[in-house]
Amino acid sequence: MLSNHLQNGIETAKLVWSRIPNSEDGEAVGLLSTSAGGSTVESLDYEVIENYAYREEQAQRGKLYVGYYVVVKWFFALLIGIGTGLAASFINISVENFAGWKFELTFSIIQKSYLAGFLVYLLINLALVFSSVYIITQFAPAAAGSGIPEIKGYLNGVDIHGILLFRTLIGKILGSIGSVGGGLALGKEGPLVHIGACIASLLGQGGSTKYHLSSRWLQVFKSDRDRRDLVTCGCAAGVSAAFRAPVGGVLFALEEVTSWWRSQLMWRVFFTSAIVAVVVRTSMGWCKSGKCGHFGSGGFIIWDISDGQEDYSFEELFPMAIIGVIGGLLGALFNQLTLYMTSWRRNYLHKKGARVKIIEACLISVITSVISFGLPLLRKCSPCPESDPDSGIECPRPPGMYGNYVNFYCSKDNEYNDLATIFFNTQDDAIRNLFSAKTIHEFSAQSLLTFLVMFYTLAVVTFGTAVPAGQFVPGIMIGSTYGRLVGMFVVKFYKKLNIEEGTYALLGAASFLGGSMRMTVTLCVIMVEISNNLKFLPLIMLVLLLSKAVGDAFNEGIYEEQARLKGIPLLESRPKYEMRKMTAKEACGTQKVVSLPRVVKVADVVSILRSSEHNGFPVIDHTRNGETLVIGLVLRSHLLVLLQSKVDFQHSPLPSDPITIGGSRSIGHNFSEFAKPVSSKGLSMDEIHLSSDDMEMYIDLAPFLNPSPYVVPEDMSLTKVYNLFRQLGLRHIFVVPRAARVIGLITRKDLLIEDAEDSNTVELQSTSVRGRQRDVRSFTRNTDAERPLLNGLLA
């Protein structure tokens, strides 16, 4: 009988294991190729395509529609804040409850048997991590990792398919609960940035059509520019929800992820972060009544140290500077080690399929559980210090409860295990213990050093597995550990009783984050907001500046390194030094430009689209003198729409009637039909079916091209082209020979437009651009130091 049950169990296990796919079962393709030229990476069209359809649509819009458009943007900002706040509250409640139940059950079992408690602890962690990695590998592969490099690439102008889908959002939420609740050396703060971006993107496109969760009245924004603004609001909302730091969220979006910023966007981002703060605070207030299980006991400030050290002396600046240097060194080393580990995983381990990814995550979970449970068993317990009724700290703490002084594997009731206080605990509670004031001599140097080495190693090994993984909280854990270690030596050296080790733990956390992520203003504000202590703002600024300077001497920030490894072609804020010696013509290379005539045969368009992977094609026309004239740029996506609809096909190879801005020619498309769906790759040639008669037809491209693309002369330095490309968010830029003549110059004065008093029209304050022709010599004579502020109009 027993053998039959055993045989059935073995067969069931084999059946479950066989359903886990391997590399032959259709392994999901990775997000990106290892090179920047991967086929899965495209650019976003942030530039406004001012073709005839766009101008016709703008002419039909009045001031009422413009006001409605602005109101909808603010309404979407409200929805993004509410959605991100609710998602963050759900994740926090779930993680705290899973972790709370796990530790409560484990502490109740170890009162009788430590072995049984360890097995229960290990199995719960393993189940949570397995659920996380299984969801990621089978349902949402794009949800692995923190997601910040991908979102940064999106806001930089790189379209990465799959990162903003509805299933990515669900996978990120559920996967974060499993990976963080399972005790891995990861955080949920980075994934919350990705979650906020997904919510913003889904709202911007009106929901998910694949899962029948779309609404037509939400489908207002059709351009990548508007969607970019919404995703920026989502990123800020994610940080605001993760750390309950609304101002830090705004600065994170400004400093770290966005490449393009304006004052109107600042207001909406600030509004979104404020809404998130209100939603999170409301959910926490509701949970304080005990309706959310283990969640709700903390305040809005995550790690409050306002009752800690009241002031600092000049002598303490040197050890605090040492903390900044240590943070820069350890942060740079962390970036390099994670880069090597991630590269090895991508090139060797993860190529073997989803089954290997699942085994890897589960194996790391087992190792983490063994270390966090086993190492405290090797540590001798310490007697509890004399209780201070004003501190509110109990020693030892009751089993399964939050706080300092954990009684773990101690022979006496009035003893505690300092290593279990930080190891056998949730990360949030371990940081709270490290930051705590009035707990001098709670931790020994040996325990802190042991924890630092082991947790640092676990963080390096765990980052890059197929689970949602953030590095904010693990970075705070690592930094606060060596910060408190330095604080212990400062207390012994200066013999001062008013020095708190928790203050140095805060500075250490800031230094490691600065050394790893290379942010300054954002981290400074976040650390102040989560600790509720403005007195140490100058010290936080000091360690952040030092850690960033030291880290920059070795490598780039962790998000830039990971983006490069994933093949995301980021355009950083500063061009490379070598670009100063290169020109625009040299950057074009030797590849031949594929151009289209104004009236092109359908068969020729199909042939060019099949043989070329370009996303933009110059359109040329011929003047009466036989000269070639570039009249604009047409996008590949627009050509595919024209081929699929067929409504603008014509039999004649001659151009249609001339089109002017005020013309009355009608076309078969409106501007919104050319918008590419954000959750798909758009049309492809395989989806378009043309008959032999269709192939003999013609298309006049004039109404659909962009008649005013950005143009630079061939001898412009590549540095100048780089800055122009990045600051304007361009996808294409024309390189042309040096122009033969100038037809005008535009200055600041020419751009000052005022409303006319007697009509609804507007007029320019300058008369220099009202159609009067001047030769080059007259412009040269009348040009002063302020006139050439903008580029001239080139013939």
Side-chain angles (χ1 to χ4, degrees), residues 575 579-580 582-584 587 716-723:
M579 291 184 178
R580 300 180 181 183
M582 300 177 64
T583 62
M716 178 182 285
S717 69
L718 195 56
T719 299
K720 205 170 183 180
V721 175
Y722 183 97
N723 292 328

Side-chain angles (χ1 to χ4, degrees), residues 212-277:
H212 307 288
L213 297 174
S214 60
S215 176
R216 181 174 294 273
W217 69 273
L218 287 176
Q219 298 174 0
V220 179
F221 302 110
K222 302 293 185 180
S223 68
D224 289 333
R225 291 168 64 93
D226 292 329
R227 290 167 179 165
R228 172 185 61 184
D229 292 351
L230 294 177
V231 172
T232 303
C233 294
C235 292
V239 175
S240 178
F243 294 104
R244 306 164 199 171
V247 181
V250 176
L251 294 175
F252 176 82
L254 172 61
E255 181 182 4
E256 181 62 20
V257 295
T258 59
S259 303
W260 192 81
W261 196 264
R262 66 181 189 276
S263 59
Q264 296 94 328
L265 180 60
M266 169 76 83
W267 279 106
R268 285 199 298 274
V269 170
F270 187 80
F271 173 73
T272 306
S273 298
I275 295 299
V276 171

Side-chain angles (χ1 to χ4, degrees), residues 596 617-621 629-634 705-709 734:
L596 296 171
F617 303 92
V619 180
I620 61 175
D621 200 3
L629 180 66
V630 179
I631 62 174
L633 173 74
V634 64
L705 56 82
N706 181 8
S708 55
F734 281 180

Side-chain angles (χ1 to χ4, degrees), residues 49-53 55 596-600 619-621 631-634 639 642 650 655-660 665 667 699-708:
I49 308 299
E50 296 181 342
N51 55 19
Y52 179 77
R55 291 172 175 173
L596 296 171
R598 171 181 171 175
V599 182
V600 61
V619 180
I620 61 175
D621 200 3
I631 62 174
L633 173 74
V634 64
L639 291 174
L642 295 176
Q650 64 183 38
S656 303
D657 297 333
I659 297 176
T660 60
R665 176 185 172 181
I667 58 177
I699 306 175
D700 187 359
L701 299 178
F704 311 104
L705 56 82
N706 181 8
S708 55

Side-chain angles (χ1 to χ4, degrees), residues 319-338:
M320 291 175 179
I322 295 297
I323 290 178
V325 175
I326 295 174
L329 294 174
L330 291 182
L333 178 63
F334 182 85
N335 293 356
Q336 203 65 37
L337 292 177
T338 54

Side-chain angles (χ1 to χ4, degrees), residues 693-754:
D693 294 336
D694 295 332
M695 301 289 280
E696 298 299 322
M697 302 284 281
Y698 295 86
I699 306 175
D700 187 359
L701 299 178
F704 311 104
L705 56 82
N706 181 8
S708 55
Y710 288 91
V711 178
V712 298
E714 60 182 350
D715 56 352
M716 178 182 285
S717 69
L718 195 56
T719 299
K720 205 170 183 180
V721 175
Y722 183 97
N723 292 328
L724 181 68
F725 205 95
R726 187 183 187 277
Q727 292 171 8
L728 295 177
L730 303 181
R731 186 174 186 178
H732 307 93
I733 195 165
F734 281 180
V735 179
V736 299
R738 173 64 63 180
R741 64 190 181 93
V742 178
I743 66 169
L745 276 175
I746 294 179
T747 65
R748 183 186 301 270
K749 186 178 180 182
D750 299 323
L751 300 177
L752 297 177
I753 299 177
E754 61 182 8

Side-chain angles (χ1 to χ4, degrees), residues 183-200:
L184 293 180
L186 303 170
K188 58 183 179 296
E189 284 68 22
L192 272 172
V193 176
H194 195 176
I195 289 170
C198 289
I199 292 174

